[in-house]
Amino acid sequence: MRLSRLVRLGLQGRKKDTRLLITVLTLCFLFITLSNIVLSSIRYSKEEQQIARHGRFQAIAFEVDEEARAAYHSVAPQSADSLILGQTQRHGLLGTIDRAYMDLGALTLKSGRLPQAANEIVLTQTALEALADKKQVGDSIQVVLDLGYVGDKAIPITMKQFGLSDELYQLSQQSITQQDHAAFELAYTMRRDESVYFFNIEMPQLKDLSPQEYEQEFNTWFYANPDTFGLSDIGVGRREPFHEDGLTLVLHHRVNGFKLSGARWGDRQGEEIILNILYERILVAGEYTIVGVVSAYSDQWVKGDFALPEAFVSPTAADAIRRMVSQAEDDHPDIPRYLPRSISLLYAPDLTADALFDEALQKAGDRRQTSYQINDLGVFDSTGTSTISLGNFEGIDELTGKTRQVYFQVQGSLANISYDQAVYAAPLTLLTEGGLRLPGLLPIPLQPVTPDNAREMTSLPLQSNTYAYPLEDDAGGTLQRLLPGLMSLLTFIAVLQIFLTQLRRRAKRLALLKALGATQGQVAAMLLMEAGMLVLVALPVGTALGLLLSFGAVEVLKAFQGEDSVRLFWPVMPLIKALLLGALAVFIGVLLPLVQAVRIPLSGAFEAPAPAPRRFKSSGAQKKVTYNRMVWRNALSNPGRSLLGFVLAVLIILSPLATLFLGFHSFSNYRVEVLDKARPDYVLTMPYGMNIRVLNDHRDRLLAQVPGLASVQPWLFGDHVGIQISDQAFEAGPILQWYQQYGGAEFGLIGAEAASAITKTDFGFQQGGMVIHIDPELELSEEEMQAMASAETLTQEKMDVLPTGGAMTLEELQARYPDFNVEPPQPKVEEVRQVSYPQVVYTALWALDPELALLPRLIKDLDAGQVDEEAFKKGEQVILVVPRYRVDQNDLVLSHHPRDKGSFMEDAAIQPGDRLTLHTEVVQLAGDSKSSMNNGTEVTVAGILYDYSLPGVWPLSDTSRSYLLIGSQRLLAHAYPQAESRMTAYQARYHRLAVKVFYPYSYGQTQFMVTLANDANPESADIAMQNFARENALDIKTYRTANQALRSLAVNSALLIAMLGCAVFLIALVILSSSLQSAVQQEKKRFGILQSMGVTRDTLLGGQSRYGLVIGLLAVLAANLLLAMLIVIVTALSLPNGVSLLPQLRFITLRGYPLLAHILICLGFILFSALMHAWPLRTIARQTAIANILDTNAS
Amino acid sequence: MSIILQTNNLAKTYNPGTPAQVEALKPTTLGIRQGLFTAIIGRSGSGKSTLLHLLGALDRPSAGTIILGSQDVFSLNDRDLAIVRRQKVGFVFQAYNLLLEYTARENILLPLNLDGRDAPKDRFDQIIDLLGIRDRLDHYPNQLSGGEQQRVAIARALVTAPDILLADEPTGNLDSKTGDQVMRLLRDSAKALNQTLIIVTHDPGITAMADVLITLDSGNVVSIKDRTA
Ligand SMILES: Nc1ncnc2c1ncn2[C@@H]1O[C@H](COP(=O)(O)OP(=O)(O)OP(=O)(O)O)[C@@H](O)[C@H]1O
Ligand SMILES: [Mg+2]
């Protein structure tokens, strides 16, 4: 008889064992297939989506010159480039485009086609929509290409102050009164530069406004654009224009020209113009026809600190431009040559994104520009003169080698730099972009690029496309890679276990075979052949079932995450590898049993030496043997089998419990970052506080315009609110003291620094170009100031320096207040006297929307004090948020988390009932100047919050500020009188710039927290939100993708864990139930004997199910113990410094854990265990005693 | 003497309706008298064990009834049948059928314990002395010889003081001397305890000791010899 036939017959003979093995192996292969397909589907779908969204390129290089280009292409020959021709004045960068660039960048044409002829252009959706007049494909546009500042050095200048010429003033007045701004624009343009000038600022469409409104709007607009109107420095000269191919080229030299002074336009004092040639630049202008629109992409590409082109022309058009520029450069050798740089999309299909990045970085080098380091772009107001920004930057002194600070002022687009007793002027961009060089001052050396920091460096011109190829360092990714190995391990264990137990029963037969002359090799070959036959059956069946199931799994995923979230992929090679690994595991699994089988002695005594009877010590009197005890005695008399059963039972219960916990835990990042913080999908920000009407109007329009919004929560926000802290309070406030000593980011300013920020030096006025300060000791009462403000004598013409917004001349002031003693104007009036408060800290004030149900919730959560809702709404009361603190190795650790109650200390600097004065800055614009003053608002601290209950309230849950104030919108309006603004999108856009540079704090802020509904279409919501933000000049921050990414990461990890858990569960279950079955079969005779002694069926079943119940209970206990260990380990690993384990467990690891499900699983398992243990006995119990005793086919 | 066990047309057919059908016991009506020693003999396969198992209610008949005392045994449900069995019947198997994880003492006491009863001390002592296994009580079955195991099995059957003691070739595995000893023991102890003893045997020695001799052939009772008559 051939060996294979023997094997086949053997397998058929041991039906139950064979069936069990095939079932288990089929399950193993099923899960190997299923997990492989599902995981690959998830991964590839995600990758596909990421690539479709963020481009196929693996890295992007900016500012690529010829040399670098060659280097990059040698690494990634399939790369594509866009030659950057320059900066346009309206459409961002202008570059070239071709098919390859489109493909690698996953750019799509929304309409039209790519440019071909020299006068054709395509714009991005963003650039198109940014055009004021609605343009579309087929329209033509004027493109002015600015090849940038070609001057590369700062030039020493002499500063003079000038007034705006009367003529210009007349013109502007005229146009305002006539409401004909077009005429104004024209006249202004003509006046400003008689040669060529590209007027590039658009006026708002304000024709329908009343003259007063118009003037107001105009002023806002006017001051937002000082550059255009020559408030500071502008003068433009030109060299000859060139004309060719429909293009015009102009060489401009900019001059530092007149400068305004005086209180008002038309004030001719000191007018004088000195022309200083400052820098030159090349402008190329041409008419282009829009032939296509490209999808918006700049927010979808990795770009670091660099800009991407928003307008594209064909290579032909690029050649025309380049020809013209070179010709001009040839004609003017004094101008440095403009060298166009490219943007390269690097792509090498055989390299991973990481490898490509590393290689490209190595080949092309660092390529960053060294620069001075700008430290501070602060704001400095000197009352009564034009506002200027002050800052400083650092460089290295060539002689001493030490760092040296250099101060500069910003005027318009010029930086005036005080350096070595001289003043230099340079284009601000030269400074901010790092090209500025001063004699003897070296740039700060760059932090070297290392493999570790290279990917995080946004200033590096080489950026890895991490959006499309994210670094997979998450737990899910690790598990994903481990899964095939884990499944094989499981297969191995299952096979080993089953074969080993089976061997016991087969020992006699194998011994007989050997007695009949089978060699050891034949026995081994037999077992291996058996394994092979099993694999031969289980592999195709399991694989087929796995394929089938994976369809279902992908459908389930789709149901969870949306139709487009995942697509079925067949990972042929990895699947084959994983299946082979599984098959290998089967063969490895039979190795140990094989060795044992080969060693079986001829007597078949492998099973023979019955385990030496265990002595069951019964102390003293003989214990009565009850049936229950018999069950246990029996279990204990076969400890190996019982232990195995117990371990399997533990595995069976542990797998759903661990799956539940790990699945739950895989959501923990999502929970902490999104759910706990109630992080919205979008945050829209406006750099000023809107008045409530506008606010609600915005909200309503947002809801109407963007489909699928779940909620829109508007918040008003005041940054930089000063709170005055009494000395005693300061003593009692460790947090405050800490920051006074060491400084820290959580507070703005503190102590002396803050004191200089809040001064009453604003009590003064200006006359004849000089600033006069009122003696602060004078102490005008609030009423007196009010009186001064409302007095008829106050004229709007003069500087308004009083807090109330009025102003008066010295004579008027003296006339009104006879004992007002002011020294005659003196030249040294620049000296500023300050009234300083001893302790002022700066923080933020958040204003609640009264319609939010939040206030009652916050009131309920208060840790101290009581809030009267009415007083709160009126703005009389505030809630103060103070973190708990702990000193940890010379570091102050703050926490807003309820977890830290008890282990952190509470700061009692301010207590409920304390009164606070909130200091806010009010900036007023009048005429051509700005004044700033301090606005004090008294409030009562009614309640104190040390922590926010969970889930938190965005944006409060996102801030770590100390001494944060929560007030009403009315309070905010009071503290920021200017916050009640209403602006058009156009104004807001320019206002934003102004606010950022000139008066960052005085207008408050508005934020809309927007959350999408679950069934919303995210892509269309994104676009609608972007459009809304653009139309209304709101800044938009999108958390949606991040939220969604966290969620789908969690879902995927949970799925993975569930799959693994399911596999372990099923396989352990199959093995246990079969081993229980065979155990009972083996004991058939025993049961028969017992039956013969009169043990009833109920007793038999009852005993067995009680045994199962106890085993189930023990297994549940053991599993819970193991799980608890797992939980403690997981928690301990993530334990923040100084936080104790229990609160961390309670508030972080286990918060929201589905305990009920856990308990139900445990209870269910205990019952199930009872049932499972009793089930195999039920046929036996039904049979007669003699049938059981005599039945010998026990195996 | 009264009839303790009465069968009426008691019959057993294995695998009825299949090609493997065996009429192991044809309809049999007989009465077993109380306190006597009844031996069942016959050729191998004649249905002795089948009859004995039925008499001990270890198996269910295909037809017919057994009246034990005044009770129709097979009309009882499983539970009550089990209770009757453990209270009225003791069984000694050919293959001893001791539970390996229990000592001799525990094996002996098992039926009592399972019935929730305690062994009357004097009876237990009497039995083990009779069987001569006092010094083997704390041994486990695999530490005992076949004869000793058989004696433990007999003790186990006797200890509940069953009305009827059934034994299927109790000496089949023993040498003739030991077999004889065991047989005598069985008979003597049954007599001493006034139990009804029914034994299946091939042993002519045993047959000679019996009060009543029932001969089976191919499932039929071919003769009943009552020596007390
Ligand atoms: N479970 C069963 N299934 C089928 N046939 C059976 C079964 N048990 C016994 N038999 C058959 O019934 C008949 C009677 O068997 P039984 O065991 O009663 O014989 P026996 O007289 O005790 O024989 P022996 O002296 O060899 O023990 C035999 O032919 C036997 O093959
Ligand atoms: Mg027999």
Side-chain angles (χ1 to χ4, degrees), chain A residues 123 417 426 501 523 588 608 614 809 931 943 1004 1015 1089 1170:
Chain A
L123 297 177
I417 301 156
T501 33
V523 170
I588 297 176
R614 275 174 67 124
T809 64
S931 73
D1015 55 350
I1089 297 171

Side-chain angles (χ1 to χ4, degrees), chain B residues 136-156:
Chain B
R136 290 285 181 274
L137 282 181
D138 289 323
H139 285 61
Y140 284 88
N142 61 354
Q143 296 166 326
L144 296 173
S145 75
E148 284 164 343
Q149 288 190 47
Q150 188 63 294
R151 276 180 273 166
V152 172
I154 292 169
R156 183 175 68 182

Side-chain angles (χ1 to χ4, degrees), chain A residues 673-695:
Chain A
E673 292 302 319
V674 183
L675 296 183
D676 282 1
K677 290 185 177 176
R679 186 160 87 180
D681 289 318
Y682 310 92
V683 174
L684 294 170
T685 309
M686 177 51 84
Y688 60 84
M690 293 179 167
N691 77 33
I692 308 287
R693 210 159 45 78
V694 181
L695 190 79

Side-chain angles (χ1 to χ4, degrees), chain A residues 8-28:
Chain A
R8 189 141 31 82
L9 287 177
L11 283 174
Q12 280 164 3
R14 296 184 305 279
K15 264 211 185 80
K16 275 189 182 149
D17 279 345
T18 307
R19 213 183 300 146
L20 171 68
L21 271 167
I22 287 186
T23 313
V24 168
L25 288 184
T26 304
L27 275 178
C28 287

